[in-house]
Amino acid sequence: NAGVTQTPKFRVLKTGQSMTLLCAQDMNHEYMYWYRQDPGMGLRLIHYSVGEGTTAKGEVPDGYNVSRLKKQNFLLGLESAAPSQTSVYFCASSLGGLAEETQYFGPGTRLLVL
Amino acid sequence: GQSLEQPSEVTAVEGAIVQINCTYQTSGFYGLSWYQQHDGGAPTFLSYNALDGLEETGRFSSFLSRSDSYGYLLLQELQMKDSASYFCAVQRYSTLTFGKGTMLLVSP
């Protein structure tokens, strides 16, 4: 049982390049989330999904797109990377999104945009 | 909107007790969670309070006062491995909004 995994672990991009971050979970969780974490800013929600085929915007969605084609995978896309998107990206999942449920986090993807 | 306030840094010595406070402003409040994050690692769940009062889990306890929009995390018998960042987070519908985190430094 791997929990939540993220690919890649680290990436360097040039401004304007595109990339996709992959999140996978093997816990059969319905809800999945993408966060970004910047120094002194805590974790901010980018997008989330309440089930296969659904997506919703979080607090900071601009410049990102997501897809949830399969229940176990949640993809985060950057169509045209900007230096402001340099950050650590965390994916998380929870069983059903109920208030008392734990969110399980992946190990993170460190992205540097030059 | 939503906002959470917690101290940016707290220092303590091994064996001591430390309290990390969190005040929040939000609508549609369901509960208050606490997460721990070691440097370079992923956040991990510590506790959740939906109702007023104290929840105890081993050396860690968490308190909530809904009327005061206030909560705290209490860490007892501090150990060096407790040095980490601690985030409070308000549960609103199906999402969490995190505070900016409190860095706890435990010294020998």
Side-chain angles (χ1 to χ4, degrees), chain B residues 16-36:
Chain B
I17 300 173
V18 72
Q19 179 175 312
I20 300 174
N21 299 320
C22 174
T23 58
Y24 61 87
Q25 287 186 319
T26 186
S27 58
F29 177 82
Y30 280 80
L32 187 70
S33 297
W34 288 91
Y35 283 76
Q36 178 192 58

Side-chain angles (χ1 to χ4, degrees), chain A residues 4-49:
Chain A
V4 180
T5 58
Q6 293 183 231
T7 309
K9 288 184 171 56
F10 178 72
R11 183 79 182 265
V12 179
L13 286 180
K14 295 182 179 178
T15 297
Q17 287 185 319
S18 64
M19 78 164 294
T20 301
L21 284 68
L22 170 65
C23 175
Q25 51 93 5
D26 61 1
M27 298 175 282
N28 201 34
H29 284 174
E30 288 292 334
Y31 283 55
M32 296 187 75
Y33 311 83
W34 275 108
Y35 295 90
R36 62 176 289 173
Q37 185 174 33
D38 304 294
M41 294 296 293
L43 290 145
R44 291 184 292 169
L45 183 65
I46 304 171
H47 287 279
Y48 64 103
S49 168

Side-chain angles (χ1 to χ4, degrees), chain B residues 7-107:
Chain B
S8 59
E9 187 174 307
V10 173
T11 58
V13 296
E14 264 189 306
I17 300 173
V18 72
Q19 179 175 312
I20 300 174
N21 299 320
C22 174
T23 58
Y24 61 87
Q25 287 186 319
T26 186
S27 58
F29 177 82
Y30 280 80
L32 187 70
S33 297
W34 288 91
Y35 283 76
Q36 178 192 58
Q37 184 180 33
H38 284 98
D39 192 30
T44 56
F45 173 80
L46 287 177
S47 68
Y48 173 75
N49 294 69
L51 304 175
D52 287 359
L54 193 67
E55 294 281 345
E56 298 182 64
T57 310
R59 295 188 296 114
F60 294 179
S61 303
S62 57
F63 172 83
L64 175 66
S65 168
R66 295 174 70 108
S67 60
D68 295 324
S69 297
Y70 163 76
Y72 66 73
L73 179 69
L74 190 72
L75 298 86
Q76 302 182 73
E77 300 173 17
L78 280 174
Q79 302 175 9
M80 294 296 290
K81 67 178 182 179
D82 297 329
S83 291
S85 291
Y86 294 84
F87 296 88
C88 59
V90 294
Q91 182 82 39
R92 183 172 179 271
Y93 307 115
S94 56
T95 64
L96 286 173
T97 298
F98 286 83
K100 294 182 178 180
T102 299
M103 184 177 294
L104 171 63
L105 301 172
V106 180
S107 57

